[in-house]
Amino acid sequence: MSDIAVEMKGIHKYFGKFCALQNVDLTVESGTIHSILGENGAGKSTLMSILYGLYKPEKGEIFINGKKAKIENPSDAIKLGIGMVHQHFMLVENLTVTENIILGAEITNKFGIIDMKRATKAIKELSEKYGLYVDPYAKIEDISVGMQQRVEILKTLYRGADILILDEPTAVLTPQEILELIDIMKRLINDGKTIIIITHKLKEIKQSAKYCTVIRRGKLIDRVVVDDLSEEELASKMVGRKVNLHIDKTKADPKDVIFSIENLVVKDFRGLEKLKGLNLEIKRGEIYGVAGVDGNGQKELIEAITCLSKASKGKIKINNKEIQNTTPKNVLESGISTIHEDRHKRGLILDFSVELNSILESFNKPQFSKKSILNFEAINNFAKSLIEKFDIRPDNCEKTPIRALSGGNQQKLIIAREVFNDPDLLIAVQPTRGLDIGAIEFVHKTLVEERDKGKAILLVSLELDEIMDVSDTIGVIYDGTIVKTLQNDENVTEEKLGFWMAGGEN
Amino acid sequence: MSIKISSLLKKSTTAIFISILLGFLVGGIILALSGFNPIQSYGELFKGVFSKPRYIVQTIIIATPVILTGISVAFAFKTGLFNIGAEGQFMMGAIAASFIGYKIDLPPIIHPIACLLGAMIFAGLYAVFVGWLKAKFGIHEVITSIMLNWIALYFNNYYVTLPSLKKPNSEGVYEVLDSARINILYNVKANQENILAFRDKIAELKGNVPIVNGVEKPTLFMKLLDTVQDIVFRTDINYGIFIAVAVAIIVGFILNKTTLGYSLKGVGINKYAAEAAGINVKKQIIMSMLISGAIAGLAGGIYITGMSPNRIITLSLHENYGFNGLSVALIANNNPIACIFSGLLFGALKYGGNAMQSQLGVPTEIINIVIGTIIFFIGMRLIFTIIADKLEKGENSNE
Ligand SMILES: Nc1ncnc2c1ncn2[C@@H]1O[C@H](COP(=O)(O)OP(=O)(O)OP(=O)(O)O)[C@@H](O)[C@H]1O
Ligand SMILES: [Mg+2]
């Protein structure tokens, strides 16, 4: 049967003694969108890396279009028409879009010099065909994440890919960009391409995929037709127990105002105002959710609070103490802990072990060091306790470099660390990005628990579902100010929020 | 079986040993091509290092400064900085030690300590400038430290012209005072009187050499005494190596066991995360350069107080103690303790290379080729990993 594009049979993969994949099969019909669902660390990326020739399985066979294939490295995969867009992009920041796309597959003229004109033309044609809009002359560092991803997809198409692997493509996208991506994927399959997509968002699976393969802890659980199952059923297949897609929480019991921002102005490097006199107040025992379209000042707000960038004007107060324009250390010591948006950049030192990452903010505390000498026994025990309490997998990973943990488990460690700081204000920026349903449930539960302990929580998310699910109070950010503050009750709808987020009046 | 080999191949230590072997192999081929017998040449090299205790001591003495500059570079590297400025910092350390050693009159023991501390502080501050420029303006340390290397060189050459320091009819300044030297048993060779007294003492201890069948048969103890005398009078044996070993241990300790090392490494690997975690990134960069520079300066201080000619002379070009530190650090995979061994290897190659030249006329450049090849293969360590992967895959498809 040649209408099976990809068939992987009995795949086994070990990392040292750890078994990441055990006897996993995958069958993908050509011309369909096939989703892979599984918890963080289930082995999804590993399976796809095997298909793309990045890892060599200990056992198992791969058939591409019905023929047994030997995929030793990515160039074998590319020759077989397989393209992969990785969870973390692999672009050269200071090259242009065109240069990135043709890198390694340059079109040259008869003198062996790169023929930029022809390359640009080829890229333009591809991008028009599939609605993958990019600016061929822009540098990667200057374009949005959504466009970077389109560049990655173009890169694979440019190399003639018929089978596209997208590893968590939507984790970094705004809701608008996600809709665009789904549109693009549909155009691609109409053109006869096959797509394998890894995502944790059940909604997206329902919207796009025909089949879904579910993996749990390295084992194949099921292969289902997406339309036959509800979101809840899919979720419980993946986790192995019933999950709550919506968090249960009691009504908030807010106390006094503990954190406030008055008239905050932040300028970017060009001197343009990114925050234009922003005000907000958060009470103890309250989750304050900032809703808004990406780029309306969320990033600047967080960086100003955490003193990673300067505020031009305004006051930021915690416990009546002004902290604006001090140092990140002072912010921390004043009782603010932050779960940063970009965990690889701001949250972790990837080459450090899990245990060394667990003390990143507290290594100077007497618990972990005396007279500047680190107490490794205490650190190890501490990391063990976090791993146990927050169910970070694999168990006994204290000494592993945190790079080797799956995204969701990395995030769990960050959350565990920040909660341990016992802050008065806990800031969570996109805390569930890239996390599986079970982990999302866990993160939300943790936020609510901290709230119930009387802490103030500032939640910033681009996902309205998350804001509406978790917050007690919602502030809508638009064009550098909070344009609307409201209690989160039945009267709040996605439509209403969307209206304010787009700058609508009242 | 090949799985074992392949996992062994992936270890960086194995890769380093293979690189060293390959370095000798390539050197051997070049020796053969240029008409020398490689076995004989390497034999001379080996003999030149090991055939007498004095040679071994000499090798250690030569290795001491590069062990330290190696540690300096390795330390900076572990904290995310490429200290190509060790060369200039070495010179600044040497100048400071030379000045304190000659100009300031201090009692023994205190005097060398003052020289070495002065060298560390002076060179450390010189390096801090690089760190400060990086922290404050984001200028890459490689650019600034290369410029500072030249400034150090010209400062050195200017320094030796200063009227109150320049030794008449020479290209350099005066030697450091006797009280400033870190040589072992230096007082016995400080003046003619002491030398004679020491020789007498040895002769007295030795007594008469027994004669068996008309041939002198000295006892083991007698041979030992001869060796001691040989080493004391014919080498610059000094305490430097003990200092270098102590520094390696201390630096290893700082990097792996202390909060300072933790935050320095954190900043080196991901300064954004370190910054967000409340670590003062700028301070750490400056701190790292201070320590790295101080270690390179210490090397310069030991060179002046422990090795002839115990003074600063006009330099026509860089002396390479700092640059050689880069090689030493690379061979040691930036591990401070391993720098001791790679520094000794480096010293042995350089010193044994001289023997090769004097015995067989082999140009010392061959030795530089060996060192270069070792570093070349260490730089291409990835190759061993690739070979290991190939082996693993081969194993699998044989199933
Ligand atoms: N190079 C590696 N060395 C050791 N362990 C690894 C390595 N890569 C992955 N693992 C482990 O294998 C397991 C599967 O990882 P994988 O990245 O495939 O998970 P995933 O399903 O993609 O998760 P996520 O949704 O978080 O991306 C994890 O437990 C991870 O810690
Ligand atoms: Mg993954």
Side-chain angles (χ1 to χ4, degrees), chain B residues 250-264:
Chain B
I250 293 169
V251 166
F253 184 81
I254 290 179
L255 280 174
N256 296 317
K257 305 277 180 210
T258 66
T259 54
L260 176 65
Y262 177 86
S263 51
L264 285 174

Side-chain angles (χ1 to χ4, degrees), chain A residues 56-58 72 308 328-329 332 340 344-349 351-352 356 359-361 363-364 369 372-374 376, chain B residues 253 256-263 265-267 269-279 390 393 396-397 399:
Chain A
K56 172 97 185 163
E58 268 69 47
E72 296 261 322
L308 290 168
K329 189 169 181 207
L332 227 99
H340 281 280
H344 285 180
K345 184 173 172 195
R346 289 288 187 191
L348 297 169
I349 296 186
D351 292 332
F352 273 7
L356 289 185
I359 54 160
L360 197 55
E361 286 157 348
F363 66 91
N364 266 323
S369 60
S372 299
I373 310 251
L374 292 167
F376 282 97
Chain B
F253 184 81
N256 296 317
K257 305 277 180 210
T258 66
T259 54
L260 176 65
Y262 177 86
S263 51
K265 281 194 289 187
V267 170
I269 301 170
N270 182 355
K271 66 173 188 219
Y272 299 104
E275 182 188 17
I279 296 172
K390 282 256 146 66
K393 283 183 179 170
N396 286 335
S397 50
E399 272 176 17

